[in-house]
Each structure stands twice: as structure tokens, then as C-alpha cells.
Amino acid sequence: MTTRPYVLLSCAMSIDGYIDDATTERLLLSNDSDLDRIDAVRAACDAILVGAATVRRDDPRLLVRSDRRRAHRVARGLPPSPVKVTVTGSGDLDPKARFFALGDGAKLVYCPTGAAEKTREQVGEVATVVDVGESVTPAAVLTDLAARGVCRLMVEGGGSVHAQFLTAGLADELHLVVAPFFVGDRRAPRFVGDGRFPWHPGRRARVVEVRQIGDVVLTRYALSDRCDGG
Ligand SMILES: NC(=O)c1ccc[n+]([C@@H]2O[C@H](COP(=O)([O-])OP(=O)(O)OC[C@H]3O[C@@H](n4cnc5c(N)ncnc54)[C@H](OP(=O)(O)O)[C@@H]3O)[C@@H](O)[C@H]2O)c1
């Protein structure tokens, strides 16, 4: 049996736990140094996953920015940037979104059978649409990614996908950055909503690193014994 990919969750939030505000503008939580750190983490992964709402709202590129890191990947026989991955239940994705339009690497879209036709109509020419059956689960996505040779997956949000990997017990490591301000608006999305998480007062996660990066703080949590803290 193929080992499931190592799963690293990455999130930036405000002091009061929001990952965005309630405006239509994208909220910048990280600073330049932290964005460079994230670039290094991306460069060390085989695939990056975000939810379809993040594709629609943030229109992220999800490419390795640094020339040096891209060259290093190519020298190792890898594509310049990791495979881009998203999940959708609606198929409501724009082929002109930067997720699809930028970068020559593979783009994978996981959807349930009920949305497969619409998803293929929308983005079938710019991505590989994977019908995973009745519903999309983190386990099904990981099984398929493993079969495609993905050993290390970075999950960059939003909250819905983070919550699913966490509650399924399918996360190995969490990089949580706290920005030094409050959002203070309950209409804004939080890191995760309600759920039965494997880490609770009776089972605390292990902190493997705390690092100040300019005005933000990164905490790295080990969420499984696959995370060695290195
Ligand atoms: N601060 C950060 O680090 C960070 C990082 C990323 C995003 N964000 C923010 O997070 C917010 C978006 O988060 P979100 O929780 O609303 O959305 P999300 O997790 O980005 O995406 C949710 C969407 O993904 C699809 N999806 C998720 N799980 C699925 C499943 N099991 N089966 C089928 N489809 C599934 C659905 O798409 P369909 O609607 O197409 O069915 C769902 O509406 C944005 O405000 C963004 O700015 C913040």
C-alpha cells in the first residue's frame, strides 16, 4: 500500500483567530519575511491544496516565487512549482483564475460525481478533474495524490479544508502564524469552525518550534509522530 502523503497545514490568523476580514479586499496577515518562509515551505512540497472558495476569493498564484528555489527544484528533476490542487462540490471555478492560468505544472480538481460534469465543463481544459465518487474526503484526495507520486502536501486553507484534514486526523504538522492585530468582526472567517478535533484539553498537540519573524509569530505544532520537528 502506498504511504499517504505527509500533510503540512499552513495558516495565518489575527490575534483573535480570524484568517481574513469581511471586506472584499484580501487581508494581508503575513509580512514579507514570512511570505519568503512560506515560499521555502512550498518549494519543499510536491503539491499545494486550497479550497475552491480560496481560489475564487483570493485568486492565489500558488507558485514558488524565488528563482533560486525554482532552479533548485528543476535541478532535482522536479517541476519549478508543486502541483496545484483544489476541491469543489459546486464546480464553480473560473478557468481564468490564476490557480489555473499561471504556471505550467499540473492542476488537479477533486469533485464528487454529482459535480463532475459541470467541473469538467468549467475547467476540464486547464486542469485534470478527478471524480472521487459520492463525496470528496481528505482520505480520498490523499489516496489519489499518493498514487500520483505526491509525498508531501501543503494545505494552505481556507478554514473549511483545514478543518476537514484536522478532524479526519490526517494532518502531520501545523504552521500557525499570528499577525499582531485584531479583526474583531464575526462576519469574517475563522481558522476553523466547530468540530471534533483530535487535539483537545485531554490530548495536547506538541509544539516543535516558536519563531518571531518580524512582527508575526510562527508556531509549529507536531500533529502526528511523522513530524520529527526538524
Ligand atoms: N489566512 C490564511 O492563511 C488563509 C489561507 C487561505 C484562505 N484564507 C481565507 O479563507 C477564506 C476561505 O475559507 P473557506 O473555509 O470559506 O473556504 P475554502 O476552505 O477555501 O473552500 C471551501 C470550498 O472548497 C470546496 N470544498 C471544501 N471541502 C469540500 C469537500 N469535502 N467536498 C467538495 N468540495 C469541498 C467547496 O467548494 P464549492 O463551493 O465550489 O463547492 C467549499 O465551498 C477566504 O476568506 C480566504 O481569504 C485564509
Side-chain angles (χ1 to χ4, degrees):
M1 203 176 99
T2 317
T3 312
R4 77 153 169 84
Y6 186 90
V7 177
L8 186 160
L9 309 189
S10 174
C11 179
M13 68 181 193
S14 61
I15 293 173
D16 50 348
Y18 290 100
I19 60 169
D20 197 358
D21 60 21
T23 71
T24 53
E25 299 299 310
R26 186 176 183 173
L27 177 68
L28 188 62
L29 288 142
S30 295
N31 56 36
D32 287 348
S33 301
D34 188 49
L35 290 172
D36 188 58
R37 175 196 64 82
I38 292 169
D39 196 57
V41 176
R42 277 184 186 164
C45 289
D46 302 307
I48 305 173
L49 183 149
V50 295
T54 295
V55 174
R56 289 191 289 265
R57 178 172 158 83
D58 293 355
D59 196 16
R61 293 178 178 80
L62 300 182
L63 298 173
V64 174
R65 296 180 186 196
S66 149
D67 293 342
R68 180 179 54 79
R69 290 183 189 123
R70 284 200 307 272
H72 186 60
R73 284 179 57 93
V74 171
R76 289 162 54 217
L78 299 171
S81 290
V83 172
K84 301 189 206 182
V85 183
T86 191
V87 289
T88 183
S90 70
D92 181 14
L93 288 164
D94 180 355
K96 296 196 205 67
R98 293 194 282 201
F99 178 98
F100 299 106
L102 299 186
D104 297 330
K107 289 112 191 172
L108 301 173
V109 181
Y110 291 90
C111 67
T113 304
E117 192 179 333
K118 178 174 175 193
T119 308
R120 289 203 176 96
E121 278 171 21
Q122 295 286 114
V123 294
E125 288 188 6
V126 289
T128 301
V129 175
V130 185
D131 173 351
V132 287
E134 196 178 339
S135 63
V136 181
T137 62
V141 171
L142 291 177
T143 299
D144 186 83
L145 288 175
R148 292 173 191 272
V150 170
C151 298
R152 196 173 170 89
L153 172 69
M154 182 177 186
V155 179
E156 291 210 43
S160 157
V161 291
H162 275 146
Q164 291 174 67
F165 278 90
L166 287 165
T167 55
L170 292 172
D172 298 297
E173 183 172 344
L174 168 63
H175 293 188
L176 188 62
V177 163
V178 178
F181 57 81
F182 294 77
V183 168
D185 183 344
R186 68 167 65 170
R187 294 170 305 167
R190 286 189 181 272
F191 170 36
V192 289
D194 297 349
R196 286 174 63 86
F197 295 92
W199 302 275
H200 47 72
R203 183 175 180 238
R204 297 157 77 107
R206 184 164 53 95
V207 174
V208 290
E209 184 185 358
V210 179
R211 196 193 320 166
Q212 180 170 352
I213 304 170
D215 66 353
V216 305
V217 175
L218 163 70
T219 307
R220 286 176 51 222
Y221 296 91
L223 302 180
S224 83
D225 52 16
R226 290 177 81 185
C227 177
D228 62 8

